Amino acid sequence: MQFQQLVYFVAVAETRHFTRAAERVHVSQPSLSQQIRALEKELGAELLSRARGNVALTDAGEALLPLARRILADTETARVEVQELVQLRRGRVRLGAPPSLCTGLLPEVLRAFHDLHPGIELLIEESGSHDLVRELARGALDLALVVMPLPAASPALTTVELLHEDLVVVSSPGGPAPGSPVRIADLEGRPLVMFRHGYDLRELTVAACRAAGFEPSFTVEGGEMDAVLGFVRAGLGMAVVPSMVAARARDLRVTPLARPGLSRTIALAHRSDVAPPRAARELQKVLLATQGASGAAASGTAGAGAAAAGVAVTARSADGPRSAQTASASDSV
């Protein structure tokens, strides 16, 4: 009894038609009929009744069908499991993330994943949430860390919230100290260092200032995260940044924003219609375990700095909420 003979038999049994079964398994109808006859000869029983052009299962065929289906299913399961095992030895994961998470959250997570699966190649795409959502939709990424809520026109994605993070004000220790905590209104007239267009922090900060009744004043604008921190370090102004980023900038003064403040929710996303590869699912487990273990684990190395600044970074477990609480829908850092 050959595996392919069982494939052909199941196809005929399910379609009740030799020609359609042949089309389904991509062989010629005479070849399929020949293999069915060979299977019947080997088993010593007719499996199919072909009376007057109608195809029906005989008693022997009825007995074989569930067994054949089980054999085919077990074979597919074995193929998938072996393939997934191979993927964990020499596969790859394509992960997208905003720049601030690439410097704050990901290094320790990726180190933990690499220790578990040293053969997996990690491809990281740094971009804003809008771009990452588009890359997910076209299949260029397996997973992406995005700022919630997603854009209204986003494709169908499955998201799991990882953490809810406060934003803080960073300033040069050599400059004038802002009040603690800083109210948004306190930023009026203060020199600010601002990110380039497309960063959600820019949109969020500007919107908060306008809601407080004033336009923010920029001494320098258009930089990326590292540049903005460098400008702040040089005393050119203050900046509003994620607390995880601030915790790593140990030479800067970190001041919390007065409640309700500003915050963002980070989620892990993948396409709903395509299951991520095994290696990507393993990385997802590491991310969720890292963020779900405890509040300290959720903030990683940012925990101590965030606590010292009086701000919050809280974890979201895999079973936690699947919608955002406070975040910008524009491109993210």
Side-chain angles (χ1 to χ4, degrees):
M1 184 185 304
Q2 299 176 12
F3 174 80
Q4 207 60 36
Q5 291 174 335
L6 294 179
V7 173
Y8 297 163
F9 167 70
V10 170
V12 175
E14 291 180 348
T15 62
R16 302 300 171 101
H17 197 281
F18 276 82
T19 301
R20 286 197 291 269
E23 293 172 351
R24 177 168 159 180
V25 297
H26 308 292
V27 297
S28 67
Q29 190 269 328
S31 296
L32 181 141
S33 297
Q34 182 180 8
Q35 290 299 318
I36 294 293
R37 285 195 295 270
L39 178 61
E40 290 176 324
K41 182 178 180 181
E42 181 178 349
L43 295 176
E46 285 192 354
L47 302 173
L48 300 163
S49 171
R50 306 164 178 83
R52 297 194 181 97
N54 295 321
V55 177
L57 290 172
T58 64
D59 290 343
E62 293 282 3
L64 177 61
L65 182 58
L67 298 174
R69 283 172 169 160
R70 189 183 312 158
I71 291 171
L72 298 185
D74 288 345
T75 302
E76 176 63 14
T77 298
R79 185 192 68 80
V80 170
E81 290 193 1
V82 169
Q83 186 179 54
E84 290 186 341
L85 180 62
V86 171
Q87 287 178 353
L88 287 180
R89 289 177 178 169
R90 59 173 188 266
R92 70 171 185 177
V93 180
R94 301 167 301 170
L95 174 67
S100 61
L101 293 179
C102 287
T103 58
L105 171 67
L106 284 186
E108 293 183 6
V109 171
L110 296 184
R111 174 57 186 269
F113 179 80
H114 180 71
D115 289 344
L116 291 171
H117 307 291
I120 302 298
E121 181 183 8
L122 295 165
L123 304 178
I124 307 302
E125 175 76 20
E126 288 189 70
S127 192
S129 290
H130 278 202
D131 291 339
L132 295 177
V133 166
R134 285 193 292 269
E135 293 297 284
L136 279 173
R138 73 181 188 88
L141 294 175
D142 302 310
L143 302 169
L145 292 166
V146 296
V147 175
M148 299 291 281
L150 294 175
S154 298
L157 298 177
T158 296
T159 61
V160 179
E161 290 184 12
L162 290 181
L163 60 92
H164 187 64
E165 180 183 26
D166 282 350
L167 305 183
V168 299
V169 175
V170 292
S171 57
S172 171
S180 183
V182 178
R183 298 176 304 152
I184 295 297
D186 296 336
L187 298 179
E188 184 174 6
R190 294 271 193 152
L192 295 178
V193 177
M194 185 49 63
F195 301 96
R196 64 170 173 81
H197 288 281
Y199 270 51
D200 76 320
L201 293 178
R202 179 191 181 101
E203 309 302 330
L204 194 56
T205 302
V206 170
C209 292
R210 288 174 178 169
F214 68 95
E215 286 291 324
S217 301
F218 304 148
T219 52
V220 182
E221 62 175 313
E224 303 285 345
M225 180 63 71
D226 287 344
V228 165
L229 294 177
F231 296 147
V232 172
R233 197 172 285 115
L236 290 171
M238 300 182 296
V240 177
V241 302
S243 55
M244 277 193 292
V245 172
R248 290 177 175 268
R250 302 183 186 279
D251 56 341
L252 295 179
R253 180 193 294 122
V254 180
T255 309
L257 285 164
R259 295 302 179 190
L262 299 174
S263 61
R264 66 177 186 172
T265 298
I266 305 299
L268 183 64
H270 64 81
R271 286 175 56 177
S272 301
D273 60 335
V274 178
R278 174 66 182 276
R281 297 201 303 271
E282 291 301 313
L283 176 57
Q284 182 176 14
K285 289 180 184 178
V286 174
L287 274 163
L288 294 175
T290 302
Q291 297 309 302
S294 65
S299 60
T301 58
V311 298
V313 182
T314 56
R316 301 297 175 117
S317 70
D319 299 322
R322 290 181 176 262
S323 60
Q325 294 185 4
T326 311
S328 168
S330 61
D331 276 358
S332 58
V333 297

